[in-house]
Amino acid sequence: MLRRAPRNDNPSCVVIRAAFVYNPSVERIRILGRNDLRLKGDVRISGSKNAVLPALAASLLTSEPVRLHNIPLVKDVFSMLKLMTELGLEYALEGTSLTLDVPKILSEEASYSLVKLMRASFLVLGPLLARFGKAIVAQPGGCAIGPRPVDLHIAGLQRLGANITFEHGYVKAEADRLQGADIRFEKKTVGGTEHLVMAAALARGETVLRNCAQEPEISNLCELLIKMGARIEGVGEETIRIVGVEQLGGADHEIIPDRIETGTFLVAGALTRGDIHLTGTEPSHILTTIEKLRYSGAVIDVEGKAIHVTGSAEIRPQDVTTSPYPGFPTDMQAQFMVLMTQAAGTSIITETIFDRRFQHVNELLRLGATIEVMGDKAVVHGRTPLSGAEVIATDLRASASLILAGLIASGETIVNDVEHIDRGYERIEEKLRGLGARIDRIRE
Ligand code: UD1
């Protein structure tokens, strides 16, 4: 039997949650870097943060238990569980397997105090609405990497027949039963696609979603929904067709490996001219990054679910433009930029997905990098020796880039505001230490 998780009487949860009980203002990551550092060894990749968050929201669509495996034990997962517990979720976590059960709804309101922690929590709106006919969810608001509106989510739900109003920073949605519709996204949106697929799964009749984002995390969600009884065609394609069903049931499902964590460790290998063996990953989800790293000189061998990276002495400059999957991921832009600071020449990195996603540049400049930002382009001049300094992590992937830079910066680098890294990387300092890095967490 499942137990109410946030109480301190669930041993499996208490142990894990304890890792996240900290005061962010006094936690920092300290790295003792060396420009001749060579990372070597094996690292196991965790489950995908961006795949598990919508899967958690999907469990609201059924009164039967949903069991998920390969859960990354990262802060965003615990924030989402906390929010969903307020809605009526009961869960049990054993190792990296999570059983979710929402037998009845306790509240259809997701408060700002929890939604503001993580934009993906907005995804509970559609499932609550589809199953219970009503939902009130705080608007996510701005974040460090740009305004990130939810207008496409809202417009799509309205097309499915939801009556939506905005009051005091909350989105209130009502519908007796959602009604299938033909919807074209003006712009590719990962969260928007996931949101509408979930809502349409319980709508009356057929929904056709066009110009869908095609990220593997969306396909992973669709596969879960299909196991739950949803009728979905076109998984992984730009057009997805959903025939709504009366109700969905439980399922047992594996979360895909985290392709951004994979890419981050591949960059770590290339950057330190290292020799790293990544296991438990899915190479086919990160092909564009692998290709860019190969052009830059790294030797990358793929075998089944493992990837081996060997960095080369000479890193070649590479221009990179972020774009929706299968293009180069915006979530790898900051890490790749660090690699380019060590390339033999100049690279231009263009960010097309988010407006303000160069905040790591100022911090990299403090470490000695030579980078100029011009609109959506960053011109990165290599090969610049980096020297350790105190820096501030502004968002999740920026934190990862600062840690990578710290590895090869001479002397001590202190990364402040490390709560960002804990949102999406599981035990990053432990994994890097296992490869030979001198990195630890300091609490003052
Ligand atoms: C997801 C990922 C995030 C990744 C991003 C792009 C999760 C939990 N997060 O974020 O790590 O960086 O995809 O790959 O999966 N937009 C609108 N209106 C909307 C929705 C989006 O204008 O209603 C814009 C955004 O501001 C952005 C672009 O569309 O410019 C893409 O955003 P989207 O794909 O929705 O990103 P997320 O799902 O938030």
Side-chain angles (χ1 to χ4, degrees):
M1 196 177 108
L2 299 184
R3 305 173 67 176
R4 309 265 325 148
R7 311 280 178 261
N8 278 351
D9 59 358
N10 186 331
S12 62
C13 296
V14 169
V15 172
I16 303 301
R17 193 175 291 108
F20 297 98
V21 176
Y22 65 84
N23 178 347
S25 61
V26 293
E27 276 221 348
R28 298 136 169 240
I29 284 185
R30 176 176 53 195
I31 307 146
L32 286 174
R34 284 198 342 246
N35 56 17
D36 62 348
L37 175 71
R38 305 274 173 270
L39 291 182
K40 282 197 175 129
D42 291 5
V43 65
R44 187 165 175 84
I45 298 304
S46 301
S48 161
K49 168 187 87 74
N50 286 354
V52 75
L53 296 175
L56 294 179
S59 71
L60 290 166
L61 288 164
T62 173
S63 60
E64 293 180 15
V66 170
R67 195 161 158 76
L68 302 176
H69 306 283
N70 200 29
I71 302 292
L73 303 177
V74 295
K75 197 167 156 236
D76 271 6
V77 168
F78 293 96
S79 300
M80 187 76 162
L81 289 172
K82 186 167 183 218
L83 177 143
M84 288 178 54
T85 303
E86 289 193 357
L87 305 176
L89 170 75
E90 298 174 10
Y91 72 87
L93 179 66
E94 295 155 66
T96 57
S97 293
L98 184 60
T99 307
L100 305 149
D101 199 2
V102 192
K104 61 178 190 307
I105 187 85
L106 297 179
S107 159
E108 61 279 297
E109 182 167 329
S111 67
Y112 182 58
S113 61
L114 292 170
V115 172
K116 75 176 180 197
L117 296 177
M118 187 190 33
R119 182 183 152 79
S121 54
F122 190 68
L123 292 179
V124 300
L125 180 73
L128 280 177
L129 176 66
R131 183 165 153 210
F132 303 105
K134 192 174 170 194
I136 305 170
V137 178
Q139 280 180 264
C143 75
I145 58 171
R148 300 182 86 176
V150 285
D151 56 322
L152 302 174
H153 301 227
I154 302 284
L157 291 171
Q158 284 172 325
R159 292 292 314 280
L160 292 177
N163 177 21
I164 294 189
T165 51
F166 301 88
E167 281 169 27
H168 311 296
Y170 280 76
V171 181
K172 190 172 167 191
E174 283 174 306
D176 282 343
R177 186 171 176 198
L178 294 172
Q179 177 70 50
D182 194 320
I183 300 167
R184 183 181 173 79
F185 290 103
E186 264 170 50
K187 181 176 186 179
K188 291 207 169 183
T189 158
V190 176
T193 304
E194 291 164 346
H195 211 157
L196 292 201
V197 170
M198 287 191 280
L202 286 181
R204 187 182 294 115
E206 186 182 65
T207 297
V208 183
L209 300 177
R210 303 179 195 274
N211 196 28
C212 292
Q214 294 171 277
E215 271 68 0
E217 294 76 20
I218 303 170
S219 302
N220 199 223
L221 171 69
C222 289
E223 280 151 18
L224 166 63
L225 293 169
I226 290 169
K227 288 179 193 163
M228 291 166 70
R231 292 176 56 198
I232 303 175
E233 275 175 28
V235 175
E237 294 172 18
E238 276 191 324
T239 301
I240 302 179
R241 282 171 205 278
I242 306 122
V243 177
V245 294
E246 293 287 329
Q247 59 180 34
L248 293 169
D252 202 275
H253 184 65
E254 180 92 9
I255 297 297
I256 53 173
D258 197 305
R259 64 193 166 98
I260 305 302
E261 188 194 20
T262 302
T264 303
F265 277 98
L266 289 177
V267 169
L271 181 68
T272 63
R273 287 89 168 153
D275 192 0
I276 305 181
H277 192 67
L278 286 69
T279 58
T281 185
E282 180 44 71
S284 67
H285 292 168
I286 187 92
L287 291 179
T288 323
T289 304
I290 289 178
E291 195 175 302
K292 277 288 169 193
L293 288 170
R294 280 181 176 147
Y295 285 142
S296 76
V299 177
I300 298 183
D301 295 314
V302 169
E303 203 185 316
K305 304 289 174 205
I307 310 180
H308 195 101
V309 56
T310 314
S312 76
E314 176 89 346
I315 299 171
R316 281 194 291 271
Q318 289 297 306
D319 294 346
V320 159
T321 300
T322 63
S323 57
Y325 191 84
F328 189 87
T330 174
D331 285 352
M332 280 304 302
Q333 180 254 105
Q335 301 91 312
F336 198 81
M337 187 181 289
V338 174
L339 181 66
M340 290 301 102
T341 68
Q342 302 309 304
T346 298
S347 315
I348 298 176
I349 297 186
T350 308
E351 172 59 55
T352 70
I353 307 290
F354 292 112
D355 289 340
R356 289 207 301 259
R357 210 172 195 179
F358 282 139
Q359 298 208 1
H360 45 283
V361 170
N362 280 339
E363 303 306 303
L364 292 175
L365 295 179
R366 301 199 67 247
L367 296 174
T370 313
I371 305 168
E372 296 141 41
V373 173
M374 288 176 264
D376 64 353
K377 296 194 181 345
V379 181
V380 187
H381 302 281
R383 162 179 195 179
T384 322
L386 302 183
S387 68
E390 192 163 337
V391 288
I392 298 173
T394 48
D395 69 67
L396 171 56
R397 307 304 168 186
S399 330
S401 74
L402 295 175
I403 291 176
L404 290 175
L407 293 173
I408 53 147
S410 57
E412 184 177 88
T413 293
I414 303 278
V415 183
N416 289 299
D417 290 353
V418 297
E419 77 269 27
H420 292 296
I421 198 89
D422 293 330
R423 287 189 50 196
Y425 287 87
E426 186 178 321
R427 300 180 290 107
I428 190 165
E429 70 268 30
E430 215 177 284
K431 289 188 182 186
L432 285 169
R433 259 202 312 274
L435 298 172
R438 291 173 69 197
I439 174 170
D440 57 5
R441 190 176 287 250
I442 47 176
R443 296 173 179 86
E444 289 163 359

